[in-house]
Amino acid sequence: MKLLIVALIGGALIIPLLFVYGLVSDRQHQAREAQDSIAAGWAGAQAVSGPVLMLPYRKDHITTEIVEGRSMRRTVRERHNLFLSPEQQSVEAQIDPQVKERAIYRSVLYRASINGSARFELPDDLTGLGIDRQDLLLDEAELRFGMSDPRGLQTDARLVVNGDAMELHPGRGPASSGGTGVHAMLDWTGGETLDLQWSYSLRGSRSFGFVPRGQSTEWTVTSSWAHPSFVGSFLPDADAAQISDEGFSASWSISNLALGQPMVSQNDFGPAQFEQSPVEVASDNGASKMATIRLVEPVDLYSLVDRSVKYGFLFIGFTFLAFLMFDIIGGAKVASAEYLLSGAGLILFFVMLLAFAEMIGFAWAYIVASGAIIGLLTSYSAAVLKSWRRASMIGGLLVGLYVMLYVLLNLEGLSLVIGSVILFFALAGVMYTTRDIDWSDGGSNDGEVTGYA
């Protein structure tokens, strides 16, 4: 009966533990909203792309109409667009980050200086697309550059084509950036090779992505931010990525074979998505692929608190088990209310951890919260168990549990192995300690166990 009551109390405490889990999610959502408000007047996460050369052309189509009961054919000239990718492009980006705070929340902002060059060549044969060169309106060509949040574009944008400066206009970006960006009108009547050089500065927050396009793309990024995370469809070259306390540098070499896109298309490729998984990349249908750099905080305190709450049932279980052993074997009388109050203290640890982590960081918050709860429950155990010696054993158990949890949080890859081994030895210890108990006789044991006196 005692075992059943303890199990019921432990199960009931899972409910407030779930509320704490929801509290962590709510605070994380508030933090994200605060970060968005910080970046609202700056710019959001940026994904840049380009250049893409858009060539309009006219094509005759024969249509059939029924007029007064007779079938009549007429020729209609329609206007379409052709999208040409560069033969080669090279882009360099320098990211200068800064951390901006509002109340207890922080957001990573940055200013990116981008310099690039590209080369375009007009294909000799377009018959595979059903287009004659004479159908092209080369004097109405457009060069399109994309950025996902043009609000961050600064006033130093510059474009030079074959040595001549070009005027940039807002809007009409490539579809890969959602159609946002800038463009330049170009008279390409001669159809000669185009050599482009461009540069601009762009403000953004949290992440920076690049959409490769063309036969060959070289992308190089340097920054003073020491905690980058490389995600997306392409990772940087292994021998060209360096990360240190002073910052990072990385480069990508991407061919058109990896992109799986034709150099000339009658449809622009769809928008890219941040942080695509390999499954999403494989299932993309006409969407652009992107390499992304996330400027992450060194410690994501909400994810750490979230993971720690998931181990809450272990704290409740081990502590209740220790009380139960003193109750059944040591002769101490632990009331149901005392189990309940001790469990409430264990749950309070996670609330304190979340609250203090937002103020002083996760590591110091963990020390403060665990120290407070260990002191509280050790003192309370001395009164409940009528012995400071027994209370010191409860305190030692709690110290071991909190040290174990901190290790598990920092060794994510080995957390399951370590946790399962600890549970195995805990179960073995309980089995060994209770081996002489006659459970069918109400919990009486044949011999006196002096270790719990």
Side-chain angles (χ1 to χ4, degrees), residues 92-142:
E92 296 180 357
Q94 170 67 41
I95 301 176
D96 297 319
Q98 57 178 290
V99 177
K100 192 172 183 180
E101 299 182 0
R102 177 174 295 175
I104 61 175
Y105 302 108
R106 294 156 49 97
S107 184
V108 182
L109 310 178
Y110 63 82
R111 182 187 177 104
S113 299
I114 303 169
N115 296 274
S117 62
R119 186 181 75 253
F120 285 91
E121 295 181 0
L122 184 63
D124 295 328
D125 187 10
L126 296 173
T127 55
L129 297 174
I131 302 172
D132 294 328
R133 181 163 178 168
Q134 62 183 10
D135 296 330
L136 298 175
L137 303 177
L138 296 177
D139 58 334
E140 300 180 25
E142 288 183 11

Side-chain angles (χ1 to χ4, degrees), residues 53-363:
L53 187 59
M54 190 279 291
L55 300 176
Y57 68 93
R58 289 193 174 95
K59 190 69 175 176
D60 293 337
H61 296 275
I62 298 177
T63 62
T64 302
E65 297 180 354
I66 304 298
V67 179
E68 296 180 354
R70 292 184 300 172
S71 177
M72 300 183 63
R73 302 174 64 189
R74 67 187 184 97
T75 301
V76 178
R77 172 158 290 191
E78 296 180 349
R79 183 185 176 101
H80 302 278
N81 294 327
L82 193 66
F83 298 92
L84 181 62
S85 299
E87 293 291 327
Q88 179 275 335
Q89 71 167 323
S90 177
V91 181
E92 296 180 357
Q94 170 67 41
I95 301 176
D96 297 319
Q98 57 178 290
V99 177
K100 192 172 183 180
E101 299 182 0
R102 177 174 295 175
I104 61 175
Y105 302 108
R106 294 156 49 97
S107 184
V108 182
L109 310 178
Y110 63 82
R111 182 187 177 104
S113 299
I114 303 169
N115 296 274
S117 62
R119 186 181 75 253
F120 285 91
E121 295 181 0
L122 184 63
D124 295 328
D125 187 10
L126 296 173
T127 55
L129 297 174
I131 302 172
D132 294 328
R133 181 163 178 168
Q134 62 183 10
D135 296 330
L136 298 175
L137 303 177
L138 296 177
D139 58 334
E140 300 180 25
E142 288 183 11
L143 282 168
R144 296 182 174 184
F145 297 81
M147 58 276 305
S148 56
D149 192 348
R151 294 179 304 137
L153 192 62
Q154 303 301 287
T155 58
D156 58 350
R158 182 180 65 90
L159 171 63
V160 177
V161 179
N162 289 346
D164 297 326
M166 306 294 294
E167 183 180 1
L168 290 169
H169 304 277
R172 298 185 189 175
S176 57
S177 61
T180 58
V182 296
H183 71 281
M185 306 301 297
L186 176 67
D187 186 351
W188 200 23
T189 304
E192 69 281 0
T193 298
L194 295 179
D195 289 310
L196 283 62
Q197 290 81 39
W198 72 89
S199 64
Y200 57 87
S201 296
L202 191 68
R203 298 192 304 188
S205 60
R206 294 198 293 269
S207 64
F208 180 72
F210 178 72
V211 181
R213 188 98 177 236
Q215 189 69 35
S216 174
T217 300
E218 300 288 335
W219 185 41
T220 303
V221 181
T222 57
S223 175
S224 59
W225 188 257
H227 310 284
S229 176
F230 303 110
V231 295
S233 303
F234 302 99
L235 297 180
D237 300 335
D239 56 349
Q242 298 179 353
I243 303 175
S244 66
D245 293 337
E246 287 73 33
F248 75 91
S249 63
S251 63
W252 289 253
S253 298
I254 304 170
S255 71
N256 192 59
L257 296 177
L259 295 174
Q261 298 173 348
M263 293 292 293
V264 184
S265 175
Q266 292 172 303
N267 297 301
D268 204 0
F269 299 105
Q273 300 292 327
F274 277 100
E275 303 177 26
Q276 277 185 317
S277 69
V279 175
E280 291 171 330
V281 171
S283 62
D284 279 341
N285 183 16
S288 299
K289 299 177 176 62
M290 179 170 59
T292 305
I293 302 170
R294 293 180 58 209
L295 305 181
V296 298
E297 292 282 2
V299 177
D300 186 354
L301 64 92
Y302 292 105
S303 65
L304 290 176
V305 176
D306 179 84
R307 288 178 56 207
S308 67
V309 173
K310 294 176 181 178
Y311 290 99
F313 74 95
L314 289 179
F315 284 76
I316 296 173
F318 276 114
T319 306
F320 279 19
L321 185 61
F323 278 135
L324 190 62
M325 292 299 99
F326 283 121
D327 195 342
I328 296 177
I329 300 176
K333 298 299 182 181
V334 183
S336 300
E338 293 165 340
Y339 279 103
L340 187 62
L341 290 174
S342 299
L346 294 172
I347 294 176
L348 181 61
F349 161 76
F350 300 104
V351 180
M352 294 179 63
L353 177 62
L354 174 61
F356 283 102
E358 292 181 334
M359 303 293 296
I360 60 177
F362 182 81

Side-chain angles (χ1 to χ4, degrees), residues 11-65:
L13 288 173
I14 297 297
I15 297 175
L17 196 63
L18 292 176
F19 279 107
V20 175
Y21 187 80
L23 177 63
V24 176
S25 178
D26 180 67
R27 297 295 293 183
Q28 188 174 24
H29 178 69
Q30 290 185 30
R32 178 54 62 90
E33 287 185 341
Q35 292 171 348
D36 291 339
S37 67
I38 293 174
W42 186 264
Q46 292 287 7
V48 300
S49 62
V52 175
L53 187 59
M54 190 279 291
L55 300 176
Y57 68 93
R58 289 193 174 95
K59 190 69 175 176
D60 293 337
H61 296 275
I62 298 177
T63 62
T64 302
E65 297 180 354

Side-chain angles (χ1 to χ4, degrees), residues 1-2 324 327-331 333 433-449:
M1 182 59 68
K2 178 76 69 174
L324 190 62
D327 195 342
I328 296 177
I329 300 176
K333 298 299 182 181
T433 304
T434 60
R435 67 191 186 281
D436 295 326
I437 293 180
D438 183 4
W439 296 97
S440 62
D441 192 27
S444 62
N445 52 302
D446 296 335
E448 182 181 358
V449 181

